[in-house]
């Protein structure tokens, strides 16, 4: 019994005061769950051609919510980074974010090649990042650089590649606006992650920021990017419905 009592977290996940990282794990799990309810509900409200995109937005936050429940408890019990849960979450959700680019551009001629290229880049980015955080931690800078090659590939596709060209050629200001918003999420929002990664011992920010800020950066990045992506899709889907309403005068 004594042994059990000395592990109160077996019964009750706890956050110590001052554990700001644990706090963001908790907020993150709730935010992902709330966003999921919202996005799933909207799939029944938006115009038909946007339903798949809304559903994927909800699946992204749903997969994240489930992982946040695990990560939150892992952090509460061990005080260490839940690296495996983190990367399993990302390896599912980041490709789904690439699917969002493809889906909203499908009607204006996006090819599956665009989708596979982006998924390929994101796998390179995530597998290299995982290796740098685990197996080859002492060479985290090298693996971070390899990972960044994948990241730059995604950036290129979004800002200058066929995704951008299709959006520009669509002559649809709302679609172009959505792609521009997603481009900025990928450039500014996704850049939060490598900053966290650099706090790994031996990394560029080792000594500048405490090591536990890695999860702080990742948690903030996830909330901004996963919920933000969904809100861009939602905004697009709702504004599109408006056009139809005006056209039919309903
Ligand atoms: C929902 C999760 C998302 C959008 C995760 C994105 C993750 C990244 C953009 C990670 C990038 C990394 C680098 C560019 C270099 C260092 C290693 C990573 C994996 C942290």
């Amino acid at each position: 019994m004594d042994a059990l009592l000395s592990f109160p977290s077996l019964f009750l996940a706890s956050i110590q005061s001052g554990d700001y990282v644990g706090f963001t794990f908790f907020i993150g799990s709730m935010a992902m769950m709330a966003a999921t309810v919202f996005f799933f509900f909207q799939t029944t409200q938006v115009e038909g051609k946007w339903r798949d995109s809304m559903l994927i937005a909800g699946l992204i936050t749903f997969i994240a919510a489930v992982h946040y429940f695990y990560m939150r408890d892992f952090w509460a019990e061990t005080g260490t980074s839940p690296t495996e849960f983190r990367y399993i979450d990302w390896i599912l959700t980041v490709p789904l974010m690439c699917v969002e680019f493809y889906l909203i551009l499908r009607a204006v001629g996006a090819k599956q090649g665009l989708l596979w290229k982006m998924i390929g880049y994101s796998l390179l980015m995530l597998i290299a990042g995982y290796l740098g955080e685990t197996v080859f931690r002492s060479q985290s800078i090298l693996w971070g650089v390899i990972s960044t090659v994948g990241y730059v590939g995604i950036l290129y596709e979004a800002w200058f590649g066929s995704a951008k060209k299709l959006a520009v050629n669509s002559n649809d200001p709302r679609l172009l606006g959505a792609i521009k918003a997603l481009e900025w999420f990928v450039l500014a929002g996704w850049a939060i992650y490598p900053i966290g990664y650099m706090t790994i011992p031996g990394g560029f920010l080792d000594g500048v920021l405490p090591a536990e800020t890695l999860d702080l950066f990742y948690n903030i990045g996830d909330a901004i990017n996963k919920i933000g992506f969904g809100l861009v899709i939602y905004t697009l889907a709702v504004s599109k419905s408006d056009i139809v309403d005006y056209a039919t005068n309903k």
Side-chain angles (χ1 to χ4, degrees), residues 125-237:
M125 176 178 89
L126 295 174
I127 292 169
Y130 176 74
L131 292 175
E133 280 195 47
T134 55
V135 194
F136 304 117
R137 206 175 164 89
S138 57
Q139 298 155 336
S140 69
I141 294 182
L142 170 66
W143 288 95
V145 169
I146 297 173
S147 170
T148 303
V149 173
Y151 177 44
V152 170
I154 300 175
L155 277 176
Y156 178 83
E157 281 307 316
W159 279 84
F160 309 106
S162 55
K164 181 58 170 272
K165 287 182 195 129
L166 287 167
V168 171
N169 293 337
S170 73
N171 285 323
D172 179 343
R174 290 182 160 110
L175 190 56
L176 185 57
I179 289 293
K180 277 194 176 147
L182 294 184
E183 282 172 353
W184 277 103
F185 271 104
V186 174
L187 179 66
W190 290 23
I192 296 170
Y193 300 96
I195 299 174
Y197 180 91
M198 285 183 231
T199 64
I200 289 178
F204 287 131
L205 293 177
D206 179 16
V208 182
L209 291 168
E212 74 261 20
T213 47
L214 175 132
D215 282 292
L216 187 67
F217 279 104
Y218 288 177
N219 290 352
I220 291 171
D222 277 357
I224 292 175
N225 292 300
K226 291 184 164 63
I227 299 172
F229 249 62
L231 289 175
V232 171
I233 306 291
Y234 167 71
T235 306
L236 172 67

Side-chain angles (χ1 to χ4, degrees), residues 98-120 157 161-167 169 179:
C98 301
V99 170
E100 291 288 36
F101 271 95
Y102 169 71
L103 277 183
I104 64 172
L105 291 168
R106 196 172 45 175
V108 295
K111 302 257 171 356
Q112 278 197 13
L114 165 71
L115 174 61
W116 295 119
K117 229 189 284 177
M118 291 185 88
I119 290 181
E157 281 307 316
S162 55
K164 181 58 170 272
K165 287 182 195 129
L166 287 167
N169 293 337
I179 289 293

Side-chain angles (χ1 to χ4, degrees), residues 7 15 19 32 37 56 60 69 115-116 121 126 132 172 212-213 217 232 237 250:
F7 290 105
I15 302 179
D19 177 9
M32 295 296 177
V37 173
I56 301 285
I60 290 169
F69 283 108
L115 174 61
W116 295 119
Y121 287 135
L126 295 174
D172 179 343
E212 74 261 20
T213 47
F217 279 104
V232 171
K250 271 195 226 146

